[in-house]
Amino acid sequence: MHAPTTLPLFLLVLHCAALTPALAEDALPPLDDRHLHVIPRTDAESARIAQALNRPDDPAKSEPFEANPGGAATTRAIDTADAFSQSSENMPFDREMDFKLGNGLFRKTWVASPASTRASDGLGPYYNARACQDCHIKDGRGHTPETADEPRVSIFLRLSVPGGTAPDGIPGHIPTLPEPTYGGQLQDFAANGLAPEGQMAIRWTEVPVTLADGTTVSLRRPEYSVADPSYGPLHPETQLSPRVAPQMIGLGLLEAIPAADILAHADPEDADGDGISGRANVVVSAEYGVPMLGRFGHKAGNPTIKEQSAGAFSGDMGLSTPLHPAPWGECTEAQVACREAPHGQEPDARDGLEVDSQSLDLVTFYARNLAVPARRNAEDPQVLQGKTLFYSAGCPACHVPKFVTHRLKDQPEQSFQLIWPYTDLLLHDMGEGLADNRPEGRASGREWRTAPLWGIGMTEQVTGHQQFLHDGRARSILEAILWHGGEAQPGRDTVATMPADDRAALIAYLESL
């Protein structure tokens, strides 16, 4: 695949005209990017980057290289379900084998122990999926079940209860503990001989919303519960939160954004009075043992792709990794049969783990290098009209269009790229309608990380559906917008009062990303 020609950034910035300084969260501990091998920027580079990130004078005009959202890593947009499964276009040839090996592990179907295959056993004993690909369908989004009896794959319930202690040095952390019997998430499947922990139950209520021009849009409001719990009732203070698997493209580029540049957009006290008060989630790294900026997950609960991947191996599939070495996944002490069930750890194998360090690194490399497709129709007049409306509605306050990544020693694909993810990776109060009332780190029960918008218009092509937001409740981009509340309420209301032609232009712009 060949992406459209992308000039090096040192040439690109000459065409671009500065990131307006915003207030950082001064009370936070130092949040360095220790997981990356960073080459510091020079003062001259920083000045040119500030120019490149300036808000456009006229949003109705396309910007240089806007059509390549992943910079030189952008891949050509293809019209098949494999559009999200391409590698970084600028990947050196000698790294392509690692991508393919990581892809094989990502698609690998695991089996429970004991099994005739020692290389693929160790699943569970409780689990939500048998392969990474089962949740991230074609490297895209998961979805909600269509019927009451459809297996709950690519969506699951997080569980917690209030309590515990906040980590030292992280102000604003809201302590929670895993549900004492069922752990941190509900597993809907189990190995032979064991009953699943329970079944996620969803009840939908249709809520009609009438827009200013008389158009009626039906929103579906979900109510979640646990049916048939195998170990008795859940704790009375259990906090339930659904999670649909997000799309995988561009993760390495998001990881390569300097933490300082993300924090520059934080304004927790809304000191500038614009109604937007993005906050950073800060979590203790499972790999490094220090506070780091959360970037991944619907509430930015993980700091790196590696930790996000290791958490999924453990929680979703019950597989041990160097970061989560328990062979039973997250089974609690109350789940004796699970902890005593056969597992796939082998003392004579590398690391003695079900997913050894090399395999985890390969999956991380694969996830880091899933490329963002080039934009479609970026010069279309309706799309450019929609871009103007996107800006006038205030959407870029959270869906920040562009960043420049770190210059990196050993990641040429992500190094020093102008990217267009349309996210600030910060937490925002999204209102009571979207609240799950379950804290995570510094995120309250009303806060969510701003979702990246790149690739959003290819969702149906890749996964066969259009489902958005953290639990897939929105069945279209318009429904997703109409669910916005809290800090995003003014922008939502602006869209609700638009004439039909303007709404169509806005949606056309979003679908072009």
Side-chain angles (χ1 to χ4, degrees):
M1 302 295 175
H2 296 284
T5 301
T6 304
L7 293 179
L9 182 63
F10 72 89
L11 290 178
L12 178 148
V13 294
L14 298 179
H15 294 274
C16 301
L19 176 64
T20 302
L23 298 177
E25 296 199 60
D26 296 329
L28 295 178
L31 300 174
D32 60 33
D33 296 317
R34 64 183 59 214
H35 58 300
L36 302 171
H37 297 140
V38 175
I39 301 172
R41 294 171 175 172
T42 66
D43 291 342
E45 285 175 340
S46 296
R48 286 155 48 202
I49 288 168
Q51 290 183 333
L53 299 184
N54 195 30
R55 178 179 175 135
D57 294 330
D58 183 2
K61 297 180 180 179
S62 63
E63 299 171 64
F65 307 102
E66 185 179 7
N68 289 344
T74 306
T75 190
R76 179 173 62 88
I78 57 178
D79 59 0
T80 72
D82 293 321
F84 287 175
S85 300
Q86 310 305 307
S87 62
S88 300
E89 186 65 26
N90 57 349
M91 179 183 291
F93 178 77
D94 61 359
R95 294 161 70 89
E96 290 183 4
M97 181 57 70
D98 286 345
F99 182 83
K100 292 175 181 177
L101 290 171
N103 183 19
L105 289 165
F106 193 83
R107 295 172 181 270
K108 178 179 183 175
T109 297
W110 295 82
V111 296
S113 298
S116 59
T117 170
R118 296 177 62 189
S120 300
D121 67 338
L123 177 70
Y126 293 134
Y127 59 95
N128 293 104
R130 298 179 62 191
C132 305
Q133 185 76 25
D134 290 349
C135 291
H136 302 279
I137 302 163
K138 286 290 186 177
D139 303 299
R141 303 171 190 271
H143 61 83
T144 60
E146 296 295 327
T147 62
D149 57 354
E150 180 181 336
R152 272 60 173 152
V153 178
S154 77
I155 182 173
F156 65 86
L157 286 174
R158 292 259 189 235
L159 309 174
S160 60
V161 296
T165 57
D168 292 338
I170 303 182
H173 180 96
I174 307 170
T176 61
L177 295 168
E179 202 281 338
T181 301
Y182 294 90
Q185 70 188 63
L186 183 76
Q187 278 93 20
D188 293 67
F189 302 97
N192 288 337
L194 293 174
E197 288 186 316
Q199 297 295 317
M200 175 197 296
I202 313 175
R203 186 174 70 179
W204 300 101
T205 301
E206 294 289 337
V207 181
V209 174
T210 302
L211 307 184
D213 64 358
T215 300
T216 298
V217 180
S218 185
L219 306 182
R220 57 175 186 171
R221 182 186 302 277
E223 181 180 337
Y224 298 93
S225 60
V226 176
D228 305 319
S230 296
Y231 291 87
L234 278 70
H235 188 283
E237 294 185 89
T238 297
Q239 302 155 330
L240 302 179
S241 184
R243 294 289 192 276
V244 165
Q247 65 186 28
M248 299 287 293
I249 57 173
L251 298 185
L253 296 167
L254 297 177
E255 187 178 47
I257 299 172
D261 291 0
I262 295 170
L263 294 172
H265 290 278
D267 185 10
E269 304 301 326
D270 190 21
D272 61 6
D274 67 352
I276 305 299
S277 51
R279 302 191 312 120
N281 205 350
V282 180
V283 295
V284 176
S285 165
E287 182 173 11
Y288 299 101
V290 298
M292 292 180 66
L293 176 66
R295 301 172 188 247
F296 301 106
H298 291 291
K299 293 205 176 205
N302 271 306
T304 68
I305 299 170
K306 184 176 182 178
E307 293 190 36
Q308 181 78 3
S309 300
F313 273 125
S314 177
D316 298 354
M317 292 182 280
L319 295 165
S320 59
T321 71
L323 300 186
H324 301 284
W328 49 74
E330 57 137 30
C331 290
T332 67
E333 292 182 0
Q335 297 172 325
V336 176
C338 173
R339 292 202 169 195
E340 293 180 349
H343 57 75
Q345 300 207 138
E346 302 166 5
D348 59 333
R350 183 188 292 113
D351 298 343
L353 299 166
E354 291 158 336
V355 180
D356 60 30
S357 57
Q358 184 181 41
S359 297
L360 179 59
D361 287 344
L362 287 168
V363 169
T364 300
F365 183 82
Y366 174 73
R368 182 182 292 141
N369 282 289
L370 283 165
V372 182
R375 283 186 56 193
R376 288 84 51 217
N377 307 316
E379 301 283 350
D380 182 89
Q382 185 188 38
V383 167
L384 291 173
Q385 178 193 0
K387 180 181 176 183
T388 300
L389 294 165
F390 181 80
Y391 274 83
S392 64
C395 305
C398 301
H399 291 284
V400 175
K402 49 189 171 175
F403 287 92
V404 172
T405 61
H406 274 302
R407 190 187 291 280
L408 300 171
K409 294 180 181 178
D410 56 358
Q411 291 178 220
E413 303 88 356
Q414 290 82 42
S415 181
F416 212 47
Q417 300 296 325
L418 174 65
I419 63 172
W420 306 72
Y422 302 90
T423 175
D424 58 8
L425 295 178
L426 296 174
L427 302 170
H428 295 275
D429 181 341
M430 294 299 292
E432 192 58 34
L434 287 178
D436 66 348
N437 300 310
R438 178 185 178 273
E440 184 175 340
R442 299 180 77 229
S444 75
R446 290 168 56 105
E447 288 180 310
W448 300 95
R449 182 203 67 161
T450 305
L453 296 181
W454 51 15
I456 190 171
M458 304 181 80
T459 298
E460 186 169 13
Q461 172 187 314
V462 170
T463 60
H465 67 77
Q466 286 197 74
Q467 292 191 9
F468 305 108
L469 303 176
H470 66 279
D471 57 359
R473 69 178 65 187
R475 295 161 294 191
S476 68
I477 293 176
L478 179 58
E479 284 188 33
I481 294 171
L482 294 177
W483 272 110
H484 282 47
E487 297 174 42
Q489 187 72 41
R492 177 262 180 217
D493 291 346
T494 296
V495 175
T497 58
M498 285 180 179
D501 288 349
D502 283 356
R503 282 201 311 276
L506 175 63
I507 298 301
Y509 170 67
L510 294 172
E511 289 179 340
S512 79
L513 299 181

